[in-house]
Amino acid sequence: MTFTSFEFALFLPIVFLLYWLVFNKNSNTQNILLLLSSIVFYCMADWKFVSLLAASGFVNFYLAKLIAKKEEGKIRKFIFYSGIVFNIAILFYFKYFNFFVQSFVTLLNYSGVNINFTPFHILLPLGISFFTFQMIGYLIDVNNEEIKPTNDLLSFFTYLAYFPKILSGPIERVQRFLPQIQKKREFDYDIAVDGLRQILWGLFKKMIIADRLTPIVNNIFNNYQTLNGSTLLLGAIFYIISLYADFSGYSDMACGVSKLFNIRITNNFAFPFFSTNISDFWKKWHISLTSWLMDYVFTPLSFILRGYKKIGLAISILITFLIVGLWHGANLTFIVFGFLHGLYFVPIIIKGSMNKNKFIAAGKLIPSASESLGVLGLFLLVSITSIFGRSENIGQALGYLSEIVSPSLFTVPTLTNMQNVLTTMIFIGICILIEWGGREQDHAIAIIGIKWKRTLRSVFYFAIVLAIFWFGGNEQQFIYFQF
Amino acid sequence: MDKSEILEKLRHILVSVLKHEKFEMRDDLSATDVDGWDSLTHMIIITEIEKMFNCRFKLKELNKLGNMGTLIELIQSKL
């Protein structure tokens, strides 16, 4: 069951009504309903691994309590590191085992030792990267005494399994989430309506832009050897837009759904394409992952390497972004993708221009010429780098890139079904305009039309709904489910 | 070393690392209030503080810092 499925369109109103009308006695009853519905939601998406989710929850819940009970010393360290190893081992087995063994075997074969390895048939549990990172963060925070472990098993499991975020995040922090669900939530009309608006905008991005673009992108990447450079560049641009529309669309829906229950979760995107440097971009793209890695990887690393000043910072950022790449998947292409993004930070660190927080066109309607150039340059850089994230292997990525930098870049793109492409591009234009208008808000349509007359506002929302029904593409799997 | 002396030295470090003076040194000043004091510059600032006051911090201590006031208390505890 996904947010765009028919089943979810039935599931959500039922849970919503039960939550506010039947299970509304106190925080416990509300959490019982949220937990039960989350289990149903997860089982309908992937029933095979609900026991893994439960095991992860129980182990981390009790380990955190044990860590907090022990005085600082060897035993506490042992329990803490056992917990970290437990979580990483789960992630490693399901996500990376085949990749690392295969890479090791390939290395051995290069050195003359011939070994055959048939990859294990390992299914990837949905949401594993998200819930495992949450659990690791929880143990680290408890061990660092930044938070106290919770004794409330019901709240803890509600946090872990909460259905708006279980499949694709955000990677929510315990300290932000638990206080919200440990008190009774009251229905707030304004927040609920804002949630509906955010869901609507998420549906627009996912069902019109991402779902229409994905087949176009697939077609280009599958036939890259026969296409000219300009078509391939367009393919890379379409891919990064589809990735954004898919994941930020999901993220908007997750936040919107959660608002219906008067629970705020982190918005993973803050209009990242309206940035002029890579540092700013990553502050606005997949925010919960970036901030998690900043707190639990970059900060400890840069602390250890602080004596080396900017070199220490550069090494720390490179390692952090290698992990960003690896987090996205067990493939060399993702590692290169992460490494390149880390590399783009190096000039910023050396120049020290990271100090300048740039808000483009702050308080203005349109950006300046230099801001526009910066935005465009960064967008192209991110689009071209995304070729590594989308390609099946490094060979494909390099072949794809070499055609882009060939003279065929200056020929006319050869796209099939031009009418479909043009219609999609019109919607991309509409999306950019609306997101630009709402770039300083919580989400793109948070205040658009708020001061309009009710009828006009209804027409605006109705137009989005109609557009989704008329122009929505064939349903595509959410890209980030595979991560 | 009294608090005002520490404050002045900290101000000097922030100006030299961040290359601007658009902040007011007060106890409740936090990194988010200061343009450019982000996760990237934070460790450079910390290294300069360690050098200036000839002390060493633990990561755990840094993680608990909330604002300028707590930073000054931490420095005083090290002197």
Side-chain angles (χ1 to χ4, degrees), chain A residues 50-210:
Chain A
V50 75
S51 52
L52 177 75
L53 188 67
S56 171
F58 276 115
V59 169
N60 286 295
F61 178 81
Y62 288 107
L63 274 180
K65 281 161 68 84
L66 214 55
I67 290 167
K69 260 188 201 165
K70 299 285 175 194
E71 293 291 318
E72 279 210 43
K74 281 181 182 169
I75 297 176
R76 179 174 164 140
K77 257 189 186 167
F78 176 77
I79 299 167
F80 169 65
Y81 283 114
S82 303
I84 299 296
V85 168
F86 166 77
N87 286 295
I88 292 176
I90 291 178
L91 195 58
F92 181 85
Y93 173 74
F94 285 104
K95 199 165 171 177
Y96 303 108
F97 181 79
N98 279 332
F99 169 70
F100 279 106
V101 176
Q102 183 69 66
S103 305
F104 185 64
V105 167
T106 308
L107 270 179
L108 283 179
N109 288 343
Y110 274 129
S111 63
V113 184
N114 282 323
I115 299 174
N116 282 325
F117 170 68
T118 313
F120 290 8
H121 182 66
I122 302 172
L123 293 173
L124 188 65
L126 277 173
I128 187 166
S129 310
F130 297 94
F131 70 74
T132 308
F133 268 41
Q134 284 182 166
M135 292 296 99
I136 292 173
Y138 177 57
L139 290 186
I140 295 175
D141 286 347
V142 169
N143 187 53
N144 287 346
E145 291 163 12
E146 282 179 46
I147 55 169
K148 286 184 176 162
T150 179
N151 292 316
D152 184 347
L153 194 62
L154 173 64
S155 297
F156 184 76
F157 268 91
T158 308
Y159 157 71
L160 178 66
Y162 187 48
F163 73 87
K165 69 173 180 60
I166 184 65
L167 298 184
S168 279
I171 302 165
E172 200 65 46
R173 307 288 176 96
V174 170
Q175 49 270 53
R176 182 175 144 88
F177 193 89
L178 281 196
Q180 293 189 72
I181 63 164
Q182 283 175 332
K183 58 177 193 252
K184 189 189 170 200
R185 280 126 278 160
E186 301 293 341
F187 181 74
D188 186 311
Y189 177 81
D190 289 337
I191 292 175
V193 170
D194 187 51
L196 288 175
R197 269 189 224 111
Q198 199 165 359
I199 294 171
L200 183 63
W201 188 242
L203 286 169
F204 175 87
K205 282 192 282 188
K206 166 64 182 158
M207 295 180 79
I208 298 187
I209 295 175

Side-chain angles (χ1 to χ4, degrees), chain B residues 13 22 31 76:
Chain B
I13 289 170
K22 290 179 281 180
Q76 282 175 326

Side-chain angles (χ1 to χ4, degrees), chain A residues 207-208 212 423 427 462-473:
Chain A
M207 295 180 79
I208 298 187
R212 288 180 74 98
T423 311
F427 278 109
F462 191 60
I464 297 179
V465 174
L466 276 185
I468 291 170
F469 279 106
W470 281 346
F471 296 101

